[in-house]
């Protein structure tokens, strides 16, 4: 078992991070009731862990008996019918799913499947709770139509069903859905907290973790606890006992982007741009989301620049990322960003020489 | 129904109980007592009582039993493409009305409630135009939406429009106290305390960073705000408030920055990355405050 799963707190009382949020959640469900909730925050902050613990608080350890189902759905529309493959993870009390998986047909999932699930009353509740919980992951990735479809479902069937929504970017969740939920912000742990947790896990595993390495693990994780724990495990596989100056390996795609950034700073020519395009394509075909590529690229470029160029890079990145969201083909905008950067960089170098 | 959430449990059942929308309530009550109803269009921000009012009206008109036969409620959770408008809505609209029940006004028409009508396509709305007129003798429509501009003009002009005002703090307080009294004692306070707003100090910190000459401070401030999980749109809002109250900046500088903040907000609505948008806006603000743009 991976450390991240092994040391995941199971009950709300066990939370060391977010203990205030966990306390509030406990008070919230103490009467056996629970409103619709929306958990949001950056990845690796603990949203999912809190949700699972909340479910356990409501239903007891029974929710941990999970079964994964992937079944085909046939959705009848007035004019046609649609076939969907759709995976759910469920226990006797709750169903967890990721409706944005089906892409632009997510609206039908919400309108048909979720509504169907929400309508039916829970069975075999042994008199405990009269409602079931639907956990919807990555709700910020849902299309606007799908989110609108959720609105009335959330009200109409609330007697038999509560929704728990989970997402990173709350700006992408429409206002009417947000106002129907108790919104719970899950902040990423601070660097000190990450370090503390990494040390705690190491102690449980009877590993001696040198302080400088723990600090670097925390710094490299960018306040993402999951990433820190995975890196810890990777480091252990690479070399144990730990050395103080041991390298914390970054993911391949990040190194690759660092490479692109170094390339375009080395030489600003159409030839370089062409090479960079090949590398960008490589990233995209490996399913790295284009906005992640652009964000990382901007951060890597800004690392080594003068403030003047950092300003223009940051503002260009914002503009091209917006276009990327509006447009169809990501590669155009990524490449345009690099070309714009090259041009700015070259002009700046020339102006320094003059 | 023991475990009904409070928003449902304390949803007003009659139009008179709807809080803070005096003009709307008065007009609708008048319509109720006369037993006649025009086509209606309710619009306003979420949570102001639009759906509640619509449901309360039909309830008072027909009573809980007849409601099922006389009212068709369609919202965005139902498929509402042009096909549905042509078949389902038209069929329901064309049906003749049956006998009323005693104790309720039961005027001789049916009501079709189209909730969240702003998410209907233009085609579907267009298909409704003629239906509304043809069957207006036996059917009334109630449209509910957040943005009246998303309802096509021909439909809007056929309806009596009602704007629902955002609720003020004291009205909300009063309603909460009312609910607390009904819910047997306090206990609810801590639930209602949890709100998702950004502390003003966060935006102040970002503004202070933008005043400093180092870009690195801006970047660090933005990185932290995003890692803390604050919604970028809320931060922009706080930043705007902080900037407006700021005595140190020239008006022209404020104007430039505000324009950029609005652009960033628009980008966020379009689904852009929070970190990049916030960083772009803050970077621009830093340049403007330093007199470089």
């Amino acid at each position: 078992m991976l450390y991240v799963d092994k040391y995941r707190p199971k009950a709300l009382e066990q939370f060391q991070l977010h203990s205030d949020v966990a306390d509030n959640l406990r008070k919230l469900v103490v009467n056996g009731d629970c409103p619709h909730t929306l958990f949001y925050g950056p990845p690796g902050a603990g949203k999912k862990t809190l949700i699972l613990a909340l479910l356990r608080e409501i239903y007891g350890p029974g929710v941990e008996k999970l079964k994964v189902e992937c079944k085909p759905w046939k959705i009848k529309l007035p004019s046609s019918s649609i076939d969907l493959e759709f995976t759910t993870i469920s226990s006797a009390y709750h169903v967890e799913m990721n409706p944005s998986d089906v892409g632009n047909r997510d609206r039908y999932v919400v309108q048909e499947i979720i509504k169907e699930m929400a309508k039916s009353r829970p069975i075999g509740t042994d008199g405990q709770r009269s409602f079931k919980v639907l956990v919807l992951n990555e709700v910020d990735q849902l299309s606007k139509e799908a989110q609108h479809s959720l609105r009335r479902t959330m009200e109409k069937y609330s007697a038999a069903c509560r929704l728990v929504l989970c997402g990173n970017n709350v700006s992408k969740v429409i206002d009417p859905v947000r106002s129907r939920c108790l919104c719970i912000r899950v902040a990423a742990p601070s660097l000190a907290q990450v370090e503390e947790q990494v040390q705690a896990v190491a102690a449980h595993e009877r590993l001696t973790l040198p302080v400088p390495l723990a600090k670097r693990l925390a710094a490299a994780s960018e306040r993402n606890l999951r990433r820190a724990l995975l890196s810890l495990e990777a480091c252990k596989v690479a070399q144990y006992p730990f050395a103080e100056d041991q390298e914390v390996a970054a993911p391949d795609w990040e190194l690759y982007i660092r490479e692109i950034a170094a390339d375009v700073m080395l030489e600003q020519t159409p030839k370089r741009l062409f090479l960079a395009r090949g590398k960008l394509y490589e990233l995209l075909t490996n399913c790295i989301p284009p906005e992640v590529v652009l964000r990382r690229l901007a951060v890597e470029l800004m690392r080594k620049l003068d403030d003047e160029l950092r300003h223009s890079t940051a503002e260009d990145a914002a503009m091209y990322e917006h276009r990327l969201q509006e447009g169809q083909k990501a590669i155009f905008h990524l490449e345009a960003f690099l070309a714009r950067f090259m041009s700015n960089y070259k002009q700046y170098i020339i102006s320094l020489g003059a | 129904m023991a475990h009904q959430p409070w928003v449902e449990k304390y949803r007003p059942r009659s139009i008179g109980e709807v809080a803070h929308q005096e003009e709307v309530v008065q007009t609708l009550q008048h319509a109720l007592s006369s037993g006649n109803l025009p086509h209606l269009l309710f619009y306003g921000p979420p949570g102001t009582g639009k759906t509640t009012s619509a449901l309360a009206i039909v309830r008072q008109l027909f009573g809980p039993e007849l409601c099922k036969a006389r009212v068709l409620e369609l919202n965005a959770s139902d498929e509402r493409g042009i096909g549905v408008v042509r078949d389902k809505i038209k069929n329901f609209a064309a049906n003749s009305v049956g006998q009323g029940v005693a104790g309720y006004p039961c005027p001789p028409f049916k009501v079709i409630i189209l909730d969240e009508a702003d998410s209907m396509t233009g085609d579907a709305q267009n298909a409704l135009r003629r239906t509304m007129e043809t069957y207006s003798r036996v059917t009334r429509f109630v449209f509910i939406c957040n943005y009246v501009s998303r309802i096509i003009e021909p439909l809007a002009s056929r309806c009596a429009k009602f704007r629902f005002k955002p609720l003020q703090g004291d009205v909300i307080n009063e309603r909460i106290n009312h609910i607390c009294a009904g819910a047997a004692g306090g206990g609810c306070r801590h639930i209602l305390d949890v709100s998702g707003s950004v502390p003003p100090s966060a935006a102040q910190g970002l503004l202070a960073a933008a005043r400093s000459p180092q870009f690195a401070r801006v970047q660090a401030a933005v990185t932290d705000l995003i890692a803390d999980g604050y919604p970028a749109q809320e931060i922009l809002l706080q930043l705007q408030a902080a900037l407006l109250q700021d005595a140190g900046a020239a008006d022209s500088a404020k104007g430039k920055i505000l324009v950029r903040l609005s652009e960033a907000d628009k980008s966020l609505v379009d689904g852009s990355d929070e970190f990049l948008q916030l960083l772009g806006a803050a970077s621009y603000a830093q340049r403007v405050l330093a007199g470089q743009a």
Side-chain angles (χ1 to χ4, degrees), chain A residues 124-130, chain B residues 3:
Chain A
T125 45
D126 43 311
Q128 205 176 10
R129 298 279 178 260
S130 63
Chain B
H3 290 301

mmCIF file of all heavy atoms in Angstrom, chain A residues 124-130, chain B residues 3:
data_model
loop_
_atom_site.group_PDB
_atom_site.id
_atom_site.type_symbol
_atom_site.label_atom_id
_atom_site.label_comp_id
_atom_site.label_asym_id
_atom_site.label_seq_id
_atom_site.Cartn_x
_atom_site.Cartn_y
_atom_site.Cartn_z
ATOM 1 N N GLY A 124 -32.544 -0.449 2.365
ATOM 2 C CA GLY A 124 -31.744 -1.124 3.381
ATOM 3 C C GLY A 124 -30.974 -0.173 4.257
ATOM 4 O O GLY A 124 -29.809 -0.381 4.548
ATOM 5 N N THR A 125 -31.616 0.906 4.670
ATOM 6 C CA THR A 125 -30.889 1.859 5.498
ATOM 7 C C THR A 125 -30.908 1.471 6.971
ATOM 8 O O THR A 125 -30.495 2.242 7.803
ATOM 9 C CB THR A 125 -31.485 3.261 5.364
ATOM 10 O OG1 THR A 125 -32.896 3.140 5.449
ATOM 11 C CG2 THR A 125 -31.100 3.907 4.072
ATOM 12 N N ASP A 126 -31.385 0.307 7.294
ATOM 13 C CA ASP A 126 -31.555 -0.152 8.683
ATOM 14 C C ASP A 126 -31.966 1.003 9.598
ATOM 15 O O ASP A 126 -31.452 1.173 10.693
ATOM 16 C CB ASP A 126 -30.309 -0.891 9.214
ATOM 17 C CG ASP A 126 -28.987 -0.211 8.841
ATOM 18 O OD1 ASP A 126 -28.813 0.115 7.661
ATOM 19 O OD2 ASP A 126 -28.175 0.004 9.735
ATOM 20 N N GLY A 127 -32.890 1.774 9.115
ATOM 21 C CA GLY A 127 -33.483 2.841 9.917
ATOM 22 C C GLY A 127 -32.511 3.931 10.319
ATOM 23 O O GLY A 127 -32.771 4.716 11.212
ATOM 24 N N GLN A 128 -31.379 3.979 9.652
ATOM 25 C CA GLN A 128 -30.347 4.874 10.132
ATOM 26 C C GLN A 128 -30.483 6.270 9.531
ATOM 27 O O GLN A 128 -30.696 7.241 10.232
ATOM 28 C CB GLN A 128 -28.990 4.285 9.781
ATOM 29 C CG GLN A 128 -27.899 4.760 10.702
ATOM 30 C CD GLN A 128 -26.591 4.057 10.369
ATOM 31 O OE1 GLN A 128 -26.464 3.377 9.359
ATOM 32 N NE2 GLN A 128 -25.613 4.216 11.224
ATOM 33 N N ARG A 129 -30.349 6.344 8.228
ATOM 34 C CA ARG A 129 -30.418 7.637 7.561
ATOM 35 C C ARG A 129 -31.437 7.524 6.437
ATOM 36 O O ARG A 129 -31.486 6.513 5.755
ATOM 37 C CB ARG A 129 -29.066 8.004 6.952
ATOM 38 C CG ARG A 129 -27.976 8.139 7.947
ATOM 39 C CD ARG A 129 -28.034 9.492 8.618
ATOM 40 N NE ARG A 129 -26.999 9.593 9.621
ATOM 41 C CZ ARG A 129 -27.209 9.423 10.923
ATOM 42 N NH1 ARG A 129 -28.401 9.156 11.376
ATOM 43 N NH2 ARG A 129 -26.210 9.554 11.767
ATOM 44 N N SER A 130 -32.157 8.593 6.230
ATOM 45 C CA SER A 130 -33.176 8.510 5.194
ATOM 46 C C SER A 130 -32.689 9.092 3.877
ATOM 47 O O SER A 130 -33.447 9.283 2.964
ATOM 48 C CB SER A 130 -34.426 9.248 5.648
ATOM 49 O OG SER A 130 -34.100 10.599 5.812
ATOM 50 N N HIS B 3 -35.541 14.328 7.683
ATOM 51 C CA HIS B 3 -34.227 14.876 7.404
ATOM 52 C C HIS B 3 -34.232 15.826 6.233
ATOM 53 O O HIS B 3 -33.403 15.751 5.351
ATOM 54 C CB HIS B 3 -33.251 13.744 7.154
ATOM 55 C CG HIS B 3 -32.965 12.978 8.394
ATOM 56 N ND1 HIS B 3 -32.436 13.558 9.506
ATOM 57 C CD2 HIS B 3 -33.162 11.685 8.700
ATOM 58 C CE1 HIS B 3 -32.306 12.657 10.450
ATOM 59 N NE2 HIS B 3 -32.751 11.505 9.983
#
